Amino acid sequence: MEKVASTIADLSVIKTLSTPVPVISVSPVILSVPGRGNDLQVRISAPVTGNRLPIILFAHGFGSSSEGYAPLANFWAAHGFIVIQPTFLDSRMLGIPHEDPRTPLIWRFRVDDMKCILDQLDLLEDAVPQLKDRSDRSRIAAVGHSFGAHTSGLLLGARLINADGSLGEDWSDPRIKAGVLLCASGRGGEDLSPFAAEHLPYINQSYAGLTTQTLVVAGDQDNSPLTVRGPDWFTDAYTLSPGAHWLATLFGGEHLLGGISGYLVTETSDENPARVAAVQQLTWAYLRSALYPEDPAWETVRTWFMAHPDALGRVDGK
């Protein structure tokens, strides 16, 4: 087991690996999806330069939208990724009432939306002329936060557990080559709180089938009303899956990991720019090396962290 202490005082280590460039961002790009009830709105961000760019398909947390998570999306795009962010049906931006008949299957609509985007990459590129012929579709990653981590986890191989104990449908997608799960919900069953067991049965899940290479990120102060356990519940995707080989734990981190959901958002209870910078750098470096095995970014970042005695977090590997 490898443990790496880290402190993020600046971006010096990233500057040695990647020079940020200006970003173009287009929103909304509209996809018509039969049976969804609302058109699928997408934001696309990308660096102004570069070709054969890898793709991050990002799933937002409950109630957010394609307009959220700018600290992450902007950083990834400035450092060489095309970032695609859908607005899911649970977004506050859409205002769909809880009694809407689609609500019980919101989790399923989310997965379908992500697959729809993968199916219509040609259309998305045509909608943004600056992106034409600049993507590398052999290098696609799924990233998600909170409810979005649940969504991305299903694409990476996690599966729901039905009421009778059997496994639900396999939603994994071979087009996705790597993943990052930020504050992913943990094991279901007796680990769920009564509220979660009654109202959120879809987070009763198994990670045994998550075989896609994945980084799990969690905060050690992320106490959730969805579980009877403590913050370690958010590390289950790492401990219970064969594909998640790395776990980054951020000391003092709560559910928004210092403020990743947006700049100056009032919902952030643990505001910490250094913690956000840690998430930016760790996720970027991991995905670079996961999608390009010859790229030393992940090893370089972890080694750099080891040189700092003041621990902002740690990385465990298996």
Side-chain angles (χ1 to χ4, degrees):
M1 186 73 71
E2 180 175 358
K3 295 185 178 181
V4 183
S6 67
T7 182
I8 313 287
D10 55 47
L11 300 179
S12 59
V13 66
I14 293 297
K15 291 177 181 177
T16 68
L17 303 172
S18 172
T19 301
V21 301
V23 170
I24 56 172
S25 189
V26 179
S27 172
V29 178
I30 304 298
L31 297 178
S32 179
V33 183
R36 188 175 187 269
N38 294 74
D39 288 337
L40 177 56
Q41 301 181 43
V42 178
R43 172 177 286 275
I44 304 174
S45 303
V48 297
T49 60
N51 293 299
R52 296 193 62 78
L53 301 170
I55 297 170
I56 292 175
L57 185 55
F58 182 79
H60 65 71
F62 181 82
S64 188
S65 73
S66 59
E67 305 302 304
Y69 297 90
L72 297 183
N74 291 346
F75 184 90
W76 293 330
H79 289 275
F81 283 89
I82 295 172
V83 183
I84 303 176
Q85 298 174 263
T87 292
F88 298 120
L89 291 175
D90 56 89
S91 173
R92 291 184 294 270
M93 192 167 71
L94 300 181
I96 294 175
H98 180 74
E99 59 271 17
D100 187 283
R102 293 169 290 180
T103 297
L105 290 177
I106 283 291
W107 68 268
R108 167 70 183 275
F109 280 102
R110 281 171 153 259
V111 175
D112 288 343
D113 287 347
M114 298 279 269
K115 287 180 174 284
C116 176
I117 289 171
L118 293 175
D119 293 340
Q120 300 195 53
L121 288 175
D122 283 337
L123 191 154
L124 291 174
E125 285 197 12
D126 288 342
V128 186
Q130 299 94 326
L131 287 183
K132 192 64 178 175
D133 299 323
R134 295 180 60 206
S135 68
D136 183 349
R137 300 185 190 180
S138 70
R139 304 181 198 273
I140 300 175
V143 182
H145 172 246
S146 193
F147 195 5
H150 178 271
T151 304
S152 296
L154 292 176
L155 294 172
L156 296 167
R159 295 172 71 174
L160 275 60
I161 300 175
N162 297 320
D164 63 1
S166 64
L167 289 178
E169 188 170 347
D170 181 0
W171 296 102
S172 61
D173 195 304
R175 293 171 289 187
I176 296 173
K177 307 304 183 183
V180 175
L181 301 181
L182 305 165
C183 306
S185 55
R187 181 165 41 196
E190 294 181 354
D191 289 354
L192 296 180
S193 67
F195 173 86
E198 179 180 356
H199 298 285
L200 308 173
Y202 51 81
I203 64 172
N204 185 24
Q205 61 198 322
S206 168
Y207 284 111
L210 195 159
T211 57
T212 308
Q213 55 183 338
T214 297
L215 166 68
V216 175
V217 181
D220 71 354
Q221 297 300 313
D222 190 357
N223 292 289
S224 174
L226 303 182
T227 180
V228 296
R229 287 167 53 192
D232 70 305
W233 187 62
F234 290 100
T235 68
D236 282 354
Y238 167 72
T239 57
L240 300 178
S241 79
H245 295 144
W246 296 101
L247 167 67
T249 303
L250 299 179
F251 301 154
E254 299 180 16
H255 201 60
L256 293 180
L257 299 175
I260 63 171
S261 65
Y263 298 111
L264 302 176
V265 292
T266 58
E267 62 190 1
T268 302
S269 58
D270 66 329
E271 185 175 359
N272 187 319
R275 191 171 296 130
V276 174
V279 177
Q280 291 170 331
Q281 294 178 71
L282 288 166
T283 55
W284 175 85
Y286 174 78
L287 290 176
R288 281 295 309 178
S289 296
L291 296 174
Y292 301 88
E294 72 282 1
D295 192 312
W298 182 237
E299 178 65 25
T300 300
V301 169
R302 293 189 294 110
T303 300
W304 182 77
F305 287 162
M306 292 175 67
H308 293 271
D310 297 326
L312 181 64
R314 73 171 188 268
V315 176
D316 297 331
K318 63 182 183 183

